[in-house]
Amino acid sequence: MSYSFLRIVREALRGDRGWRPAWRDPAPKPHYDVVVVGGGGHGLATGYYLATEHGLANVAVLEKSWIGSGNAGRNTTIIRSNYLLAGNEPFYEHSMKLWEGLERDLNFNTMVSQRGVLNLFHSDAGRDAAARRGNAMRLHGVDAALLDEAAVRAMLPWLDFDGARFPITGGLLQRRGGTARHDAVVWGYARAADRRGVDIVQNCEVTGIRIAGGRVQGVETTRGFIGAAKVGLACAGNSSRVAALAGLRLPIESHVLQAFVSEAVKPLIDTVLTFGAGHFYISQSDKGGLVFGGDIDGYNSYAQRGNLPIVEDVAEACMALLPLAGRLRVLRSWGGIMDMSMDGSPIIDRTPVAGLYLNAGWCYGGFKATPASGWCFAHTIAHDAPHRLNAAMRLDRFASGALIDERGAGAQPNLH
Amino acid sequence: MRIPCPHCGMRGSEEFSYRGAAGPPPPAADAPAASWHDHVYLRDNPFGPHRELWHHRYGCRRWLVVTRDTRTHDIAGAVDASAWQPPA
Ligand SMILES: Cc1cc2nc3c(=O)[nH]c(=O)nc-3n(C[C@H](O)[C@H](O)[C@H](O)COP(=O)(O)OP(=O)(O)OC[C@H]3O[C@@H](n4cnc5c(N)ncnc54)[C@H](O)[C@@H]3O)c2cc1C
Ligand SMILES: [Zn+2]
């Protein structure tokens, strides 16, 4: 059943009785060519691209809860491709290009909104760093514009430009960046994968990984054993726990990141804005709420909720940037558990176990990566070899020294 | 979250900075690269009780080993790091 304007009109005239569930609810089969563990954005996108790009339809995506119950449904929905390093930037730009065609591709309104991402700076050093990053992006064929103070004032006149401590002196703008509707991305990939024959099995937790002779045989689950020629792990936040089922110890710590939404107000911020003198990012949802966040809490956690010091920290950064927000009430806050890798960059790779593949370590930035992550992971699984775009995102880079450390902060996740 | 500092008493976690898992001491300087890799980069990342290093930065400035449950943030106790022995 295709979605279209015509279809909405037709269903409306028939009392909306013709809509069907967007995906099936199949019982797991005894054996699949590929089992993907984790029904977040990345796992579902992997299932979709395995079917569409590699002709594999005997595929299941297993989710312990409901799809999108993890980070995919908890993030602040920012999409961008403004990375500095060559190991990252072409990958994220591929993701941006997939975002640009995603709604047509999936036949689903994922509400991709290229409203721009503006990273402010507040000093000469900040301007130099922004210029360097912008140049690196342009060398990779990605759009970047360095704005002076006057140009930022014209865009967002109500920011605190003249604060004595962090005066705003300009910003780096990626106009093609923006936001997308996180839940719709999950549902869109699920529906499109399902239509191509991929089984999406919810309430099915993987509790063991069966290995014989160094090769994966399948997974033990709360719904019984499921055989598989290949198994791909996409369990953001819980990667260490699931990989441990195969005897792997990962370069990852799980940390909690909080997010906040204010009461709805009239249109105020028509871009995505980040503070350059602290970690703070904000945008406005179509319902009018300001959606914002900052740093991780900074200690290992699987609790999906954070503590008050970060609430204070985020509120302070918010007030330093846009004092008018002080009159707004926060409606909701929540937390999600993310894999923090030891260099701040992700892993999409094979593992020492034959037939077992790993997609992990997304840190703060895995939502924007969803399309390319699924695309590259599907390629890596189908060909048993990474694609050029994820070739640097290796599991063994911590041993070889070929790290992808955008921040240069070292193996200390709460500094990334 | 509040941490019971053995020197200062119960204090808000914002007075402390977090280092990570309190593990065994680093390998010998001439240990094989693989041992250093494991020490610097790999983590147990447990789902449950975790022994971890916190520095009482805005207090007594001592390093503490705190036992905290990563599922709930419940803190079972804290001792001065100099009084702590990693499990063998
Ligand atoms: C508050 C917050 C804000 C964020 N903001 C942004 C942002 O603005 N931009 C951005 O790019 N990124 C952002 N991120 C990061 C982004 O959300 C994640 O990196 C990304 O969603 C991770 O991939 P995923 O969607 O596959 O993860 P998830 O949705 O977490 O999927 C993993 C799934 O695996 C399942 N699972 C785990 N263990 C098992 C098991 N044993 N068996 C079966 N299933 C299992 C989980 O239930 C979960 O559904 C944010 C994250 C948080 C928490
Ligand atoms: Zn103290």
Side-chain angles (χ1 to χ4, degrees):
Chain A
M1 168 200 292
S2 252
Y3 292 161
S4 65
F5 179 68
L6 218 65
R7 171 95 213 199
I8 292 176
V9 174
R10 218 170 63 208
E11 293 304 332
L13 293 174
R14 295 173 184 176
D16 280 318
R17 279 186 295 270
W19 300 111
R20 292 288 167 267
W23 55 86
R24 295 164 296 134
D25 182 22
K29 290 189 234 164
H31 191 276
Y32 290 94
D33 294 339
V34 183
V35 159
V36 179
V37 185
H42 293 215
L44 293 164
T46 305
Y48 172 72
Y49 292 115
L50 280 169
T52 56
E53 300 287 320
H54 306 284
L56 290 164
N58 187 25
V59 173
V61 179
L62 310 182
E63 165 55 46
K64 71 173 173 185
S65 175
W66 69 87
I67 58 170
S69 57
N71 295 316
R74 293 164 189 265
N75 64 75
T76 42
T77 78
I78 300 168
I79 62 176
R80 57 187 173 87
S81 56
N82 57 358
Y83 282 73
L84 180 68
L85 299 179
N88 274 332
E89 181 63 358
F91 169 87
Y92 286 102
E93 176 56 14
H94 183 60
S95 213
M96 186 55 79
K97 293 213 172 86
L98 291 172
W99 283 118
E100 287 173 330
L102 196 64
E103 287 158 354
R104 257 160 297 144
D105 212 16
L106 300 182
N107 178 233
F108 204 91
N109 183 8
T110 49
M111 293 170 69
V112 174
S113 162
Q114 293 183 290
R115 57 184 69 183
V117 171
L118 176 62
N119 303 132
L120 298 175
F121 49 78
H122 312 265
S123 64
D124 290 347
R127 181 193 308 275
D128 288 349
R132 179 177 176 227
R133 176 180 296 263
N135 285 332
M137 291 164 65
R138 293 175 77 135
L139 285 172
H140 281 109
V142 180
D143 69 303
L146 196 67
L147 304 188
D148 60 13
E149 186 198 326
V152 177
R153 268 189 202 269
M155 275 177 79
L156 300 157
W158 38 261
L159 294 179
D160 187 4
F161 282 86
D162 305 315
R165 206 158 160 220
F166 305 123
I168 294 166
T169 53
L172 182 68
L173 177 64
Q174 184 185 17
R175 289 202 170 83
R176 287 164 60 246
T179 58
R181 167 103 198 269
H182 52 6
D183 293 325
V185 173
V186 170
W187 300 331
Y189 271 118
R191 173 170 166 274
D194 176 90
R195 295 175 93 197
R196 282 153 186 90
V198 174
D199 282 358
I200 294 160
V201 185
Q202 305 185 70
N203 300 309
C204 181
E205 177 169 0
V206 169
T207 53
I209 298 176
R210 199 180 285 176
I211 299 165
R215 170 164 283 281
V216 78
Q217 309 293 316
V219 291
E220 314 283 350
T221 78
T222 48
R223 296 177 72 170
F225 176 76
I226 302 173
K230 295 180 175 183
V231 174
L233 307 180
C235 301
N238 284 287
S239 295
S240 299
R241 294 175 66 203
V242 181
L245 301 175
L248 304 177
R249 195 163 168 248
L250 299 183
I252 283 175
E253 283 176 12
S254 295
H255 282 255
V256 58
L257 177 64
Q258 305 190 56
F260 307 84
V261 63
S262 78
E263 59 190 318
V265 289
K266 289 194 173 171
L268 176 68
I269 306 179
D270 60 358
T271 184
V272 176
L273 186 64
T274 78
F275 188 38
H279 199 180
F280 177 76
Y281 34 90
I282 187 165
S283 65
Q284 187 167 20
S285 80
D286 290 358
K287 285 189 283 186
L290 302 186
V291 180
F292 54 98
D295 268 325
I296 52 175
D297 272 43
Y299 44 80
N300 289 51
S301 175
Y302 287 97
Q304 289 191 321
R305 63 170 184 276
N307 274 292
L308 293 171
I310 280 291
V311 179
E312 185 176 13
D313 191 66
V314 168
E316 281 171 356
C318 184
M319 290 300 290
L321 191 59
L322 42 140
L324 62 79
R327 303 278 297 276
L328 289 177
R329 282 165 295 194
V330 170
L331 277 195
R332 275 179 292 129
S333 73
W334 62 92
I337 299 304
M338 308 183 309
D339 286 350
M340 296 300 291
S341 70
M342 290 299 140
D343 61 358
S345 292
I347 297 159
I348 305 179
D349 201 1
R350 290 165 295 197
T351 69
V353 179
L356 182 69
Y357 304 85
L358 181 68
N359 176 317
W362 289 99
C363 303
Y364 288 90
F367 178 66
K368 72 175 87 71
T370 304
S373 169
W375 197 92
C376 288
F377 199 37
H379 180 101
T380 305
I381 294 171
H383 295 271
D384 193 38
H387 188 269
R388 173 177 56 78
L389 291 168
N390 63 307
M393 298 173 174
R394 298 173 64 105
L395 175 57
D396 68 2
R397 67 178 183 266
F398 302 93
S400 68
L403 303 184
I404 321 173
D405 194 339
E406 294 266 340
R407 290 281 299 248
Q412 183 66 31
N414 56 10
L415 300 180
H416 288 149
Chain B
M1 200 159 75
R2 294 195 301 161
I3 296 175
C5 176
H7 309 293
C8 313
M10 195 62 96
R11 314 293 300 190
S13 64
E14 65 273 22
E15 291 185 5
F16 299 78
S17 39
Y18 180 77
R19 174 72 178 86
D30 58 355
S35 327
W36 276 98
H37 163 261
D38 293 3
H39 178 77
V40 174
Y41 292 113
L42 301 189
R43 302 287 186 272
D44 290 339
N45 197 17
F47 182 75
H50 190 224
R51 275 180 286 272
E52 51 197 31
L53 287 164
W54 291 78
H55 184 225
H56 199 180
R57 190 170 164 194
Y58 300 111
C60 58
R61 301 190 63 81
R62 295 292 296 176
W63 281 96
L64 310 180
V65 174
V66 176
T67 305
R68 190 180 56 93
D69 193 316
T70 59
R71 294 166 300 185
T72 58
H73 301 160
D74 274 350
I75 292 175
V79 298
D80 192 280
S82 68
W84 184 75
Q85 282 296 320

